[in-house]
Every structure is written in C-alpha cells, then in structure tokens.
Amino acid sequence: MLDVLPIFSGDDRITRLFTLVPGSDFEADALSAIDALGGHTVPWSEACDGTYDLVVAASPKGDLSQLRGPHVLLPHGAGFNKSIPHEGSADSASGLDPAYLRRIGHDDTPIALHALAHPHQVARLAATDPPAARHAKVIGDLTLERVLTSAPLRDRYRASLGTGARKLLALVSTWGPESLIQQHPGLPAQLAAQLAHDEYQLALVVHPNERSLLGTYELTERLAPALDAGMILPDSHEEWASVLIAADALITDHGSAALYYCAAQDRPIVSVHRGGGELIPDSPMAVLLGRIPQLGRAEDVAETLRAYRPGAGHAAAQAAFAPPGDAVDRLRTEIYALLGLTPPAHDVAARPLPLPAPAMRVPAAFDVHVETTAAGFRITRHPAGKALPGHHLAVEHGAADEQLARSAGLLYRRPLPASAAPVDLAWTADGWTRHALSAYPGCRSAAALLPSGECLLRVRGHERMYAVQTEPRPERGQVVRIDPAVALSAVHARLLSPQPAPESRTMLNCLIGERTFRIVLRPATDTEATHVI
C-alpha cells in the first residue's frame, strides 16, 4: 500500500485515510507501521459509517464489503505462489481466492479494478472466477518499480550496511509453519559460525507477519547468537528491499521476496524449502525452486552457491512480472479515471528505497585462525565463541567484554573521539601498550590503531615497538582495504613465530579469502612511540 499511494502525491484534492479490516492475527504491527509514518488511521467501526470515492485494499480478505465505494484491489508480494491451508478455497492462490473475491463486488462495493502484475495472473483469475476477471488489468508491480529504480544505489546501500568488499549473504523468510524461520531456526547462527567475518556479511529478512507473531524483542532474543556476530535484521517495510539490492547471494524458502531479488539481478540463489502444502505447482516460486540448488548443511553453503547456474532466477522473475517500467503511470491513469479527475500536471515516479541501517551489534573479539603458507599468513576470523578457538584471541579493548580482554592474545585499541575536556589527558602509544601488557598478564601483544590506519604494536619480551601499515589493494578500478586489526593478527603471528624478529623494514603477505594484502612491518621510531592515541 505504501509503495502505491505516492501516485497521489502533490494532489491536495485527495485525502488518504487508513483503516484495518478486523480479523488479522498481525493487526497491531500493521497499525504501528502506519502510525510511525504519521498516517491518519480511522477505527474500523467509524470507517464503515462512511462512503468513499475509492477504497484501495492490498488483500481481498476480511469483510471489505462494509466499506462503501468502488474498490481497487492490489496484489502484495509477487506471483501468487502460496495457498494457505484451512483458509478460503482449497488449493486456491492466496490473493486470487474466489471465496474472498465474491464477498465484494456488490452494488455499493463494486470491484472497479483488480490490478495485477502479469498476464498469466489474469488468466488464472479468469479460470477460477470469470466475473472477477472482468475487472482485472495488467498494471505491473509498483514494489518492483521501486526495486529497479533503486538498483543503481547498490554501492550506497552496501556502504550503509558496512559490507565493504565482503559478500553479503541474505536469508529471506516468509511466514507460517513452512517458513525458513520456523523450519530452520538455527540456520542464521550456524552460518554465522561457519562463514569468515572478513569474507561474508549476513542479513535476515523476516516477513512482517512472523515479526508480529513473535514480537521484535522475542525475535531478536532468539536470533541473538547471529546478531551478536554482526548479522543484519532489516526493517520489514522498506529496508528489506534495500538489503536484497545490496546482496551478493540469497537463501530462500518459498516466499515471494526472492522474486524481487531475481528481477533486480542475476546473482546466486539457493533454497531451503523442503516441500509442503503451501507452494502452488507451476507458480513463479515453484519455477524458481525447481531450478536452483538446495542447501543441505550450513557447512556446504559456499559450495551450494557455486552450483547456481545463471538464468534460473531471471526466468522465474519473468513469470511473475510483466515487463517493468510504466506501472506507476498505468495505475495512476486507471485510478484517476475511476475518480473522474485529471491527474496533476507533475510527473510521479517510483521512489528510491532508503538507506538500510547497519548491524546494531559489531563484534569486537575474534577467534583468529592462522595458516602459515608459502604465500604468506592466511587469516580467518570468527566472532569469539562462534567457532573453534584458533591461533589467538584478538580483542578490541573497551569494546568487548572484560573477560574476553583478559583472555586475549592480541589486545588492540581503536582511536578515541576528540576530547572536549578543558584539560585533556591521553595515552601515548608507548604508554598504553606498556600499560596493557602489565594490566593483562595473559596478553602477548598490545597495539594502538591510529587514525591514519597505521598501527603501533608492542610484543611481550621484545625491546622495541613495531609500526604496521597495510597497503591498499587495487581491484578493477577500485581499492580494497582491510581492517588494520586483521593486519595486526598477521603480524602477531609472524612475531610469535620461530623466525627472528625483523631489524628493519620487511614485507609480509596477509591472505584473506582469495585476496592477498601486503603489510609493511618495521621497528617504530621514538617519535612514533610517543604518538598520542
């Protein structure tokens, strides 16, 4: 609804009122979403007393016939893929069910327009309810228009999420007993433990019905292990679509959100749907799920994603959406004709999606696995406690739990914000690293990260401090940088190895996934050691 209503923007002849048809198990959160936007809501009993120039509904369910005025029905979701057991007609697509469509269409509540997204949907409606099909027209999908309009903003969305050069793996869950969140509740945490933090970022898109059923607090508590590892849980209104645009790969159940992802790009997508009674055969989602790999264990996710063959997602999207581009104009023309009004002279376009919010919980302690190879030091980091212990525990001082700090092999401190104190007190790099090694007797190395990206590191038992600088990696016209804390783990491993400590400037390679980064390691100067941090 909120994707569609901007077709009236700038028209002071139109007043938009919102009401909620009783009977939904999820009505509280629906009203909260409208209230958050400042929409004017009307109680159902009051709404039923009025007569309206137009009644716009996103579902035919409920007693819509009590709202007097010509009705416009809009699809929500993509493709009419599901049949909800024990609801309406058996095996009928939710949203096209004659049992609900026949409840409206009386003289005082005629269906003036049933806006659909694909010619096949009109044909499906005609096969089950010929009278209803007389008012059906192919308009397109306005949510898809927003997704496609926003696709060029992919880099901005990724920057907002803090994705960087990592691969963003999104999971999408519909609602109900066959959904990902109910069938595979442990999958987000399993993936968070399996995937290296510096190579992958996770996001979970949850259907608003499922969020409403559990409540945000309950949902976040259930997902705490994955959220603590940095997983993103986007808002259900608009952010979910921004995250799909930003994603590099998708794991889906039988919910239709995956079709928007497929329409926007042809990137890997795999399924965790195990069958059931909801998916309608030959629907667009059934077409998609029949052509993409199925994920078994979380440990096999990278291999399963590689098994995706380009083109499968595009074919499913073509079955769900008519060629996009003019859905906004089509719907605006149809609705203003129903109102008997001339549209305003200004154009109306699909609105770009907003920037998604970053992860609320950023890991500050890592189990670091180090593999020494002929090419350099391969570093693989997992948030502490999510995977098996590695070569060392690397902890950000002041950001992680103090118990983790006391167990750290490598303790590092990031730059602090500028002080507003009239008389300031600050550590030098030399002073803080000496203090850290004294205060944390189990720590082997302590380091200060500077705003420049350079690091100053002291190793227990070594006379001098070391300066550490990572060189950026050029890549197809772009530059890839790593978190300096990753370079510190490579240097920590090097200086604790049997090799002699470097007496002068030396180079070592840090391997992260398929990338190699060059690190400059040298003894720090006396001036650098007194750098204020």
Side-chain angles (χ1 to χ4, degrees):
M1 289 288 290
L2 295 174
D3 289 339
V4 167
L5 289 181
I7 65 171
F8 298 115
S9 65
D11 193 340
D12 59 8
R13 299 170 296 176
I14 303 295
T15 299
R16 288 149 284 259
L17 304 175
F18 296 87
T19 193
L20 188 66
V21 183
S24 171
D25 294 332
F26 317 107
E27 59 186 34
D29 280 3
L31 288 174
S32 296
I34 300 300
D35 289 341
L37 294 168
H40 186 173
T41 57
V42 177
W44 175 252
S45 58
E46 180 181 330
C48 292
D49 290 337
T51 299
Y52 305 95
D53 297 296
L54 205 64
V55 176
V56 183
S59 168
K61 296 178 182 179
D63 203 357
L64 285 172
S65 62
Q66 294 192 46
L67 297 176
R68 291 187 294 274
H71 282 54
V72 173
L73 293 182
L74 305 168
H76 69 278
F80 298 103
N81 307 286
K82 293 171 64 175
S83 175
I84 309 302
H86 315 299
E87 180 180 282
S89 306
D91 302 323
S92 184
S94 181
L96 294 179
D97 192 336
Y100 294 105
L101 293 174
R102 289 169 186 161
R103 293 181 183 178
I104 50 180
H106 307 301
D107 291 340
D108 54 348
T109 58
I111 297 179
L113 173 65
H114 195 161
L116 296 172
H118 195 283
H120 290 168
Q121 295 169 10
V122 178
R124 286 170 65 182
L125 184 59
T128 57
D129 192 351
R134 289 198 296 268
H135 306 285
K137 290 186 179 180
V138 177
I139 298 296
D141 187 296
L142 271 71
T143 301
L144 175 64
E145 300 289 328
R146 294 194 71 191
V147 169
L148 297 179
T149 295
S150 305
L153 303 179
R154 172 177 161 83
D155 286 349
R156 288 181 177 269
Y157 297 151
R158 291 172 67 85
S160 180
L161 293 169
T163 305
R166 296 181 294 174
K167 294 179 180 178
L168 174 56
L169 175 58
L171 295 81
V172 288
S173 175
T174 186
W175 65 282
E178 296 178 19
S179 65
L180 182 152
I181 197 70
Q182 292 203 30
Q183 289 290 312
H184 309 278
L187 182 59
Q190 293 164 9
L191 290 170
Q194 173 67 24
L195 298 173
H197 177 78
D198 300 305
E199 298 175 51
Y200 288 91
Q201 183 182 37
L202 276 181
L204 173 62
V205 173
V206 179
H207 193 286
N209 284 3
E210 204 66 43
R211 293 184 74 136
S212 181
L213 178 68
L214 293 173
T216 298
Y217 173 77
E218 179 66 22
L219 180 64
T220 54
E221 285 301 300
R222 293 188 183 193
L223 295 170
L227 293 172
D228 289 343
M231 185 181 77
I232 297 158
L233 187 65
D235 178 76
S236 297
H237 171 208
E238 295 177 307
E239 284 188 2
W240 68 272
S242 303
V243 167
L244 293 193
I245 291 171
D248 296 289
L250 199 74
I251 298 175
T252 185
D253 53 19
H254 60 308
S256 64
L259 293 170
Y260 293 106
Y261 169 86
C262 294
Q265 63 247 315
D266 191 4
R267 297 192 177 98
I269 176 170
V270 301
S271 164
V272 291
H273 182 61
R274 298 290 186 264
E278 293 184 355
L279 183 65
I280 294 177
D282 300 325
S283 65
M285 274 307 297
V287 171
L288 178 64
L289 296 177
R291 296 185 179 189
I292 61 176
Q294 189 167 88
L295 177 65
R297 305 178 307 161
E299 294 84 353
D300 299 328
V301 62
E303 179 182 351
T304 307
L305 288 169
R306 284 193 295 269
Y308 172 79
R309 293 293 173 261
H314 184 65
Q318 285 185 317
F321 306 112
D326 57 359
V328 175
D329 290 338
R330 285 186 185 182
L331 185 62
R332 191 182 191 219
T333 299
E334 292 286 344
I335 283 186
Y336 270 92
L338 292 174
L339 291 170
L341 295 174
T342 302
H346 64 269
D347 292 332
V348 176
R351 293 177 179 175
L353 296 161
L355 294 177
M360 297 301 293
R361 309 176 195 178
V362 179
F366 295 92
D367 285 311
V368 183
H369 294 257
V370 180
E371 180 186 358
T372 304
T373 71
F377 293 90
R378 178 169 294 281
I379 303 297
T380 306
R381 300 193 306 170
H382 295 272
K386 307 302 179 187
L388 293 175
H391 176 273
H392 63 273
L393 180 65
V395 177
E396 180 183 347
H397 184 263
D401 183 89
E402 182 65 10
Q403 184 176 353
L404 289 171
R406 296 203 168 276
S407 302
L410 167 64
L411 193 65
Y412 58 90
R413 170 184 168 131
R414 295 191 186 273
L416 297 178
S419 173
V423 182
D424 191 22
L425 180 68
W427 286 103
T428 65
D430 177 70
W432 185 81
T433 54
R434 289 182 185 276
H435 163 75
L437 292 177
S438 173
Y440 297 90
C443 181
R444 301 291 301 275
S445 300
L449 281 65
L450 307 181
S452 64
E454 185 180 30
C455 305
L456 298 171
L457 177 139
R458 182 177 296 282
V459 180
R460 190 180 299 277
H462 289 227
E463 182 64 25
R464 301 192 64 176
M465 291 190 74
Y466 297 93
V468 179
Q469 183 75 51
T470 305
E471 295 181 351
R473 173 190 167 95
E475 195 170 286
R476 297 188 297 275
Q478 298 175 304
V479 173
V480 182
R481 298 184 178 92
I482 56 170
D483 181 354
V486 183
L488 285 173
S489 280
V491 170
H492 174 83
R494 163 65 180 83
L495 294 176
L496 294 185
S497 71
Q499 300 179 54
E503 297 292 334
S504 60
R505 185 178 188 272
T506 187
M507 304 292 293
L508 63 136
N509 289 335
C510 176
L511 282 61
I512 306 293
E514 298 177 354
R515 295 183 172 100
T516 300
F517 296 88
R518 301 271 286 171
I519 299 174
V520 180
L521 172 63
R522 59 175 174 79
T525 66
D526 292 340
T527 301
E528 288 172 325
T530 59
H531 193 101
V532 175
I533 60 172

